[in-house]
Amino acid sequence: MVATYRDTIPNLATTSDARILVQGFTGKASTFHSQLSIDVGTNVVGGTSPKAGKDNKKHLGQPIFKTVRELRASSKAKRQLGKIDAASVFVPPALAADAVLEAIEEEIPLIVAVAEGIPIRDQMRIHAALHSQSKSRYLGANSPGYTNAIAGVRMGIAPAAAAQKGRVGIAARSGTLSYEATGATSDLGLGQSYVLGVGGDYYPGTRMDEALEFFLNDPQTDGIILIGEVGGSMEEEAAELLSTLSNDSARTPKPIVGFIAGTNIPPGRAYGHSGAIWREGEIAGGDPREKIKHWERAGIMLAPSVADTAEVVLEQLKAIGKA
């Protein structure tokens, strides 16, 4: 069987010793968030920056290079940094696509990008590259990032203080709502296994059904929270995945709780993200009411608010003896 991009879903798993490269390492926001990540235990081993040169070889105590290609071409650098397991991309939107494509070219297993406003044409370039290979998995863009609370791996801008080691996997199109769900599960003592910000772009690298597939197969995740919003078809795809698995009696059931934002947004109006817009009457037009129906039919339990998702998942975990 020919390997495809979907075969890279397991790349979303990381370990505490995962070696992280930061692209755009020396920028102000990147410096701030990279230091936060290092403080919670993320193993940042180096980065790239146009400022790298003969007289500027380190940042936050780690080596810097002009590009990933330069790093890979240097046997000394490869010995110094070792195998790169993931890249955290802090490159501005206009240049982010080139950074992501470079990471794909170098077959870095996991690439996380936070840039908001990457031109759609560039998103399509990334999308085409991703689906032509089976080595790299991309999370983002327009994403708050990636958190493995158990292993202490953080990439992106998600608040480090909200995360707590635990058993609930969270996937969200909205960064802010993912923070709220993270805080709510921490407050109840559930904590999180992973928090995946799938992002709000038209062409996200990891779609909600792929995040759901990852959680269903992850042994450290007992309960799942999905946070969707108006626009696109990602929520419907997640429901379709569950419908294909409904007859698999060998699969261990995991409670799945959902919330869809923007149910009162009128057709034709954008809601926060470039991908969060729906038009009445279109096929897969993103009607939030239809999304809710799809999720209910698939067995996803809908919560009345993001804050309530933690309560609902706790109730379901108790029902199956896992809380």
Side-chain angles (χ1 to χ4, degrees):
M1 183 180 293
V2 177
T4 67
Y5 178 56
R6 197 167 186 102
D7 293 322
T8 66
I9 290 174
N11 291 12
L12 290 166
T14 52
T15 60
S16 58
D17 58 355
R19 304 175 71 81
I20 313 299
L21 182 79
V22 181
Q23 292 174 270
F25 196 18
T26 59
K28 184 176 179 180
S30 177
T31 298
F32 176 80
H33 283 288
S34 295
Q35 186 61 62
L36 277 182
S37 295
I38 292 168
D39 290 345
V40 299
T42 304
N43 186 26
V44 175
V45 297
T48 65
S49 169
K51 296 181 179 180
K54 185 176 181 180
D55 299 320
N56 190 20
K57 296 183 178 180
K58 286 199 171 185
H59 185 65
L60 299 182
Q62 302 300 330
I64 54 174
F65 305 85
K66 285 189 179 298
T67 65
V68 179
R69 294 186 186 99
E70 178 189 345
L71 188 164
R72 292 295 203 186
S74 168
S75 56
K76 179 180 178 181
K78 286 192 286 189
R79 287 196 302 272
Q80 187 177 12
L81 270 65
K83 179 182 180 296
I84 301 300
D85 298 298
S88 182
V89 183
F90 271 94
V91 176
L95 302 173
D98 289 339
V100 173
L101 291 169
E102 185 182 41
I104 295 170
E105 179 184 314
E106 298 302 328
E107 298 184 348
I108 294 176
L110 177 60
I111 305 161
V112 179
V114 299
E116 181 173 1
I118 294 177
I120 290 181
R121 185 172 182 176
D122 285 350
Q123 292 181 38
M124 293 174 70
R125 288 169 56 209
I126 294 171
H127 186 78
L130 289 171
H131 289 269
S132 69
Q133 55 84 55
S134 59
K135 301 295 183 182
S136 298
R137 165 61 45 175
Y138 178 48
L139 186 67
N142 194 358
S143 164
Y146 169 100
T147 303
N148 177 342
I150 295 173
V153 179
R154 173 185 178 270
M155 291 178 277
I157 61 174
Q164 182 182 94
K165 294 180 182 180
R167 299 172 292 141
V168 178
I170 300 170
R173 290 174 65 183
S174 164
T176 304
L177 297 185
S178 74
Y179 309 157
E180 188 172 351
T182 300
T185 49
S186 291
D187 288 345
L188 288 182
L190 287 170
Q192 311 82 39
S193 52
Y194 292 86
V195 183
L196 306 179
V198 299
D201 280 347
Y202 279 111
Y203 298 101
T206 295
R207 301 182 70 81
M208 191 162 286
D209 67 312
E210 294 172 311
L212 175 58
E213 181 175 322
F214 171 71
F215 289 146
L216 288 171
N217 290 308
D218 176 49
Q220 298 181 104
T221 298
D222 290 336
I224 301 166
I225 293 175
L226 302 179
I227 302 172
E229 61 188 18
V230 300
S233 60
M234 281 201 280
E235 293 78 9
E236 291 87 343
E237 292 162 10
E240 180 62 26
L241 173 66
L242 290 175
S243 71
T244 64
L245 300 175
S246 60
N247 295 322
D248 185 359
S249 59
R251 183 177 293 278
T252 302
K254 295 183 181 183
I256 306 172
V257 177
F259 174 77
I260 293 176
T263 53
N264 295 319
I265 298 299
R269 183 175 297 175
Y271 176 72
H273 302 138
S274 60
I277 184 170
W278 70 284
R279 294 175 177 83
E280 204 160 25
E282 287 188 5
I283 297 173
D287 185 336
R289 297 163 299 189
E290 290 299 317
K291 292 176 182 293
I292 288 172
K293 290 178 184 177
H294 278 283
W295 276 12
E296 288 176 336
R297 286 195 294 266
I300 297 174
M301 290 154 282
L302 274 293
S305 72
V306 176
D308 291 318
T309 56
E311 290 279 2
V312 177
V313 81
L314 177 59
E315 290 171 6
Q316 295 303 314
L317 287 170
K318 287 179 178 177
I320 60 174
K322 291 195 172 182

